[in-house]
């Protein structure tokens, strides 16, 4: 897909540390935990409070790392300005890049050579009252560019990739003018998505007993590509794991926000919640909803029941026939649409699937049409099997990609063809998926039944914590989804390039790597971009990468108490236009 992806509901937020937002993983839910505290997360909207049910629990206050690249983490990032509201840009409901000048501006100084200047407003301030400075911008650049990595190792784990920023020189800084200028050595397709307001430098600096200004001097004085640096290791460890939470942090510096809201309460796991309250130092348009509560409810039927009971006001459950029928029967307000997301099954290019014949044989057994008929058609009668890894059916480029890439040859199972390729072998295949996601459970059972007819031995690796195992190598195939941010091309190196931050199945094709590199240097050449994307799409089919299954249907439902709700197809979801919401009197 022509975007950078996050894992979450199915195809965090908004803009990741490096550039365009990372694609989010979909379909993970969490279990365990206590019931929501009635005094904070248990009630519906009263006054200016809105309670929203989200399928996945919050696991981190930073979704920009590969380990915590989940959609709920991204929603909180979006609301608290970690590459979301209050940073340099957002993505509109029409999937256009919209400048956000709350805290600063971004200016294209020159196209050739590419030069981009970031300027902070004089009144830009973090939620703890600390002034925003060029130190904050430089920190984001250091993390996203891989400047101190050696190509194979980076101190900072990224959900996306360093593509684009890794072609920049060390930034030009003018502290008095409050500017940071990036000089690119080559064109970069997503230059206008590089967002440098993310996490606060003064909080990172505290981890190494420095001031923010001293941290900038350290970055300036340290040699590019330096390895084994203790200070960089400490900063990297804090970035990678320091924002992971299982309870409300006692360290309030973890809560510092650049956005309209600040996390004010939290209880982990399914049945828990995160509460967000207004940022008193927010410089943008005032929020109309004083308190936002995201309740973690993994089960769609429970979400629907709590909506009917007034315990939540807005839900965005996985769309299926039972969900839609239940919502309509109880008179909920429902908005439907297609998500910029797709479900798919990926094969790990190690172990049993190191053999291309075994990969091809397995793909020949997957009953994609039956999966669509069972899961999607009851919600969307017009749904069809998805035949692209890079585009979804609702995108205009999809038809051309489908006609060229060859995925349509795997629509119906070919059991005899699979048996012929296996030549009597009975390979064992461990399939990982979310045990709490009914669509994934259904897809697994259909795949299992069909694959076993050809001689495969299928091991059920259903796991409520499946997302934590991605890339671990302890499974052979996985069923999940990607959620797109709606703009940019950072998803290509993230997912399909050798070593990409979301390349969980160790796919590697040197030709594809080269084509991906070219995509990252194109500006205003849509014809060549589409040609390259179709070439990449076709290569994944020829390499038996896995199979796309279907574009995910989506819906938002409410109890009618919230004005301003708009369906948003991207990973930001329903909170996308939160500043336009108000509680109906």
């Amino acid at each position: 897909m022509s975007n950078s992806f996050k894992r979450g509901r199915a195809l965090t937020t908004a803009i990741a540390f490096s550039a365009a937002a990372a694609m989010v993983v979909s379909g993970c839910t969490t279990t365990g935990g206590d019931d929501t505290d009635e005094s904070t997360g248990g009630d519906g909207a009263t006054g200016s409070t809105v309670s929203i049910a989200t399928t996945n629990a919050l696991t981190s206050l930073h979704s920009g790392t590969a380990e915590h690249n989940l959609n709920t983490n991204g929603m909180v990032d979006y609301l608290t300005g970690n590459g979301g509201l209050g940073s340099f840009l957002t993505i509109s409901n029409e999937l256009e890049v919209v400048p956000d000048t709350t805290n600063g501006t971004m200016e294209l100084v020159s196209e050739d050579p590419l030069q981009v200047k970031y300027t902070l407003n004089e009144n830009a301030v973090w939620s703890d009252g600390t002034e925003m400075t060029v130190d904050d911008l430089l920190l984001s650049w250091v993390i996203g560019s891989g400047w101190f990595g050696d190509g194979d190792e980076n101190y900072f784990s990224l959900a996306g990739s360093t593509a684009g920023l890794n072609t920049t020189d060390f930034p030009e800084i003018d502290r008095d003018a409050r500017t940071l200028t990036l000089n690119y050595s080559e064109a970069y397709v997503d230059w206008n998505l590089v967002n440098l307001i993310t996490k606060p430098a003064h909080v990172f600096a505290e981890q190494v007993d420095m001031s923010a200004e001293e941290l900038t001097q350290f970055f300036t004085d340290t040699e590019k590509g330096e390895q084994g640096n203790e200070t960089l290791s400490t900063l990297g460890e804090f970035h990678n794991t320091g924002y992971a939470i299982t309870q409300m942090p006692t360290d309030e510096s973890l809560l510092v926000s650049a956005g309209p809201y600040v996390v004010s309460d939290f209880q982990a796991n399914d049945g828990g919640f995160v509460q967000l309250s207004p940022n008193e130092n927010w410089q943008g348009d005032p929020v109309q909803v004083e308190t936002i509560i995201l309740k973690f409810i993994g089960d769609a039927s429970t979400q629907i029941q709590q909506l009917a009971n007034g315990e939540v006001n807005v839900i965005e459950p996985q769309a299926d026939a039972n969900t839609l029928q239940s919502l309509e029967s109880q008179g909920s307000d429902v908005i439907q649409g297609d998500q910029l997301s797709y479900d798919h099954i990926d094969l790990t290019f190690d172990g049993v699937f190191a053999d291309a014949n075994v990969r091809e044989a397995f793909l020949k057994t997957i009953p994609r049409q039956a999966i669509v008929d069972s899961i999607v058609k009851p919600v969307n009668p017009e749904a069809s099997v998805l035949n692209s890894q890079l585009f979804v059916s609702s995108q205009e480029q999809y038809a051309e990609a489908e006609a060229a890439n060859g995925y349509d040859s795997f629509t119906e199972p070919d059991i005899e063809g699979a048996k012929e390729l296996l030549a009597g072998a009975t390979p064992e295949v461990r399939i990982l998926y979310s045990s709490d996601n009914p669509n994934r459970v259904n897809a697994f059972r259909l795949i299992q039944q069909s694959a076993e007819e050809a001689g495969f031995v299928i091991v059920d690796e259903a796991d409520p914590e499946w997302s934590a195992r991605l890339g671990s190598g302890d499974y052979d195939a996985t069923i999940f989804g990607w959620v797109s941010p709606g703009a940019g091309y950072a998803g290509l190196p993230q997912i399909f390039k050798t070593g990409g931050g979301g390349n969980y199945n160790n796919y590697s094709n040197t030709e594809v790597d080269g084509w991906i590199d070219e995509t990252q240097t194109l500006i205003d050449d849509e014809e060549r971009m589409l040609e390259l994307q179709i070439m990449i799409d076709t290569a994944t089919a020829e390499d038996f990468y896995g199979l796309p299954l279907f574009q995910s249907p989506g819906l938002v439902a409410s109890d009618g108490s919230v004005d301003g709700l708009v369906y948003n197809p991207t990973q930001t979801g329903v909170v996308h236009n939160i500043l336009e919401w108000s509680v109906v009197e």
Side-chain angles (χ1 to χ4, degrees):
M1 182 169 288
S2 61
N3 316 42
S4 172
F5 295 76
K6 259 197 182 172
R7 59 182 195 244
R9 290 182 302 273
L11 222 207
T12 21
T13 46
I15 312 306
F17 249 116
S18 59
M23 291 287 279
V24 199
V25 177
S26 127
C28 24
T29 56
T30 52
T31 57
D34 301 321
D35 293 335
T36 302
D37 183 348
E38 291 294 331
S39 65
T40 51
D43 299 325
T46 57
S48 59
T49 297
V50 173
S51 183
I52 307 166
T54 182
T55 302
N56 305 315
L58 181 76
T59 63
S60 175
L61 297 174
H62 181 27
S63 66
T65 73
E67 294 77 10
H68 300 115
N69 180 33
L70 302 174
N71 67 323
T72 300
N73 298 346
M75 290 170 68
V76 172
D77 274 350
Y78 182 78
L79 296 170
T80 59
N82 182 17
L85 295 170
S87 51
F88 286 105
L89 60 105
T90 59
I91 307 300
S92 75
N93 217 53
E94 291 72 38
L95 308 183
E96 297 174 342
V97 179
V98 180
D100 184 336
T101 60
T102 302
N103 291 310
T105 57
M106 177 169 51
E107 174 191 0
L108 176 63
V109 178
S110 169
E111 286 191 2
D112 187 15
L114 182 60
Q115 185 180 63
V116 183
K117 179 186 290 187
Y118 299 80
T119 304
L120 287 169
N121 297 342
E122 289 187 3
N123 61 348
V125 63
W126 294 99
S127 61
D128 63 354
T130 302
E131 177 187 10
M132 288 187 187
T133 65
V134 291
D135 307 305
D136 300 305
L137 308 184
L138 183 65
L139 172 67
S140 295
W141 174 83
V142 165
I143 292 171
S145 67
W147 183 261
F148 295 115
D150 62 1
D152 297 319
E153 181 182 353
N154 190 1
Y155 291 98
F156 304 98
S157 167
L158 299 177
S161 76
T162 61
L165 279 186
N166 64 3
T167 69
T168 55
D169 299 329
F170 196 91
E172 298 175 11
I173 293 174
D174 187 330
R175 188 172 295 276
D176 293 335
R178 302 172 62 76
T179 65
L180 179 146
T181 302
L182 293 181
N183 294 291
Y184 291 81
S185 61
E186 57 188 51
Y188 176 48
V189 63
D190 286 341
W191 68 265
N192 61 334
L193 292 172
V194 176
N195 211 333
L196 297 184
I197 296 178
T198 50
K199 288 298 187 184
H202 67 279
V203 173
F204 272 71
E206 289 173 359
Q207 309 304 312
V208 289
D209 297 320
M210 295 182 185
S211 68
E213 194 166 341
E214 288 170 338
L215 184 61
T216 288
Q217 191 61 52
F218 165 76
F219 290 146
T220 304
D221 294 340
T222 303
E223 183 178 352
K224 179 182 180 180
E226 179 166 329
Q227 294 296 296
N229 185 292
E230 184 177 348
T231 298
L232 289 170
S233 295
T234 300
L235 293 169
E237 181 66 18
F238 178 66
H239 168 268
N240 300 339
T241 65
Y243 284 91
I245 57 173
T246 57
Q247 60 186 6
M248 185 63 184
T250 55
D251 181 357
E252 294 187 358
S253 71
L254 297 179
L255 309 176
V256 175
S257 166
Y261 291 94
V262 178
V263 171
S264 55
D265 204 356
F266 169 69
Q267 184 173 306
N269 299 321
D270 193 30
F273 67 94
V274 59
Q275 177 176 293
L276 298 108
S277 300
N279 172 4
E280 295 180 358
N281 287 307
W282 170 245
Q283 301 296 311
D285 294 335
V287 299
Q288 300 181 71
V289 178
E290 184 175 348
T291 303
I292 300 293
I293 298 171
L294 301 179
K295 295 186 68 176
F296 315 140
I297 306 172
D299 179 61
S301 62
T302 303
Q303 289 192 21
I304 294 167
Q305 186 62 52
Q306 291 204 14
L307 182 67
N309 295 341
E311 296 174 76
V312 297
N313 311 108
V314 180
I315 66 174
E316 198 171 8
Q318 181 171 273
D320 58 36
N322 292 334
T323 296
L324 188 58
Q325 182 178 9
S326 297
L327 289 168
E328 291 175 341
S329 67
Q330 70 186 33
S332 300
D333 293 341
V334 178
I335 309 172
Q336 288 184 262
D338 290 321
Q339 293 186 44
L340 283 181
S341 66
Y342 73 106
D343 270 33
H344 52 98
I345 182 166
D346 292 353
L347 309 186
T348 300
F349 279 61
D350 300 312
V352 66
F353 286 132
D355 185 334
N357 283 338
V358 179
R359 294 199 303 273
E360 182 181 4
F362 185 73
L363 297 188
K364 282 180 176 289
T365 72
I366 296 178
R368 294 200 297 157
Q369 187 63 59
I371 290 171
V372 170
D373 292 345
S374 172
I375 295 174
V376 192
K377 281 204 170 184
V379 182
N380 177 11
E382 304 301 316
S384 59
V385 168
L386 184 67
N387 286 317
S388 175
Q389 296 281 6
L390 271 66
F391 303 101
V392 289
S393 309
S394 60
Q395 292 179 295
E396 62 181 22
Q397 305 98 321
Y398 174 77
E400 189 172 344
E402 180 185 35
N405 61 32
Y407 273 113
D408 59 358
S409 65
F410 292 99
T411 300
E412 295 287 357
D414 178 7
I415 301 302
E416 292 307 313
K419 287 181 177 179
E420 184 176 344
L421 285 166
L422 291 178
T426 57
E428 180 179 282
V429 177
R430 301 163 296 171
I431 302 181
L432 175 68
Y433 63 96
S434 170
S435 58
D436 293 332
N437 186 311
N439 285 358
R440 309 284 156 72
V441 173
N442 192 348
F444 167 78
R445 289 173 179 167
L446 290 169
I447 292 169
Q448 178 184 41
Q449 180 179 3
S450 184
E452 288 181 343
E453 290 181 22
F456 285 97
V457 177
I458 303 300
V459 178
D460 187 344
E461 291 284 344
D463 188 344
E465 304 293 339
W466 70 276
S467 66
R469 294 172 58 186
L470 287 174
S472 66
D474 65 356
Y475 60 88
D476 305 300
T478 183
I479 306 168
F480 70 108
W482 286 113
V483 190
S484 167
Y489 299 93
L492 295 173
Q494 179 193 356
I495 300 173
F496 300 109
K497 187 173 180 179
T498 303
N503 186 349
Y504 299 116
N505 59 339
N506 294 323
Y507 176 66
S508 182
N509 179 318
T510 54
E511 274 195 313
V512 169
D513 289 349
W515 296 332
I516 288 174
D517 287 343
E518 185 179 346
T519 67
Q520 301 303 291
T521 64
L522 291 178
I523 295 181
D524 297 329
D525 191 346
E526 294 182 6
E527 183 177 347
R528 178 57 176 167
M529 178 64 78
L530 179 56
E531 181 182 2
L532 287 166
Q533 289 176 290
I534 292 175
M535 290 161 63
I536 295 165
D537 210 11
T538 302
T540 62
E542 293 174 346
D543 290 337
F544 311 116
Y545 174 95
L547 286 177
L549 300 175
F550 54 81
Q551 180 176 9
S552 304
L555 65 83
V556 171
S558 76
D559 61 2
S561 67
V562 183
D563 198 17
L565 292 179
V566 175
Y567 180 79
N568 182 272
T570 74
Q571 58 192 224
T572 308
V574 68
V575 301
H576 169 265
N577 68 330
I578 197 82
L579 296 179
E580 299 172 15
W581 290 15
S582 61
V583 175
V584 177
E585 297 295 335

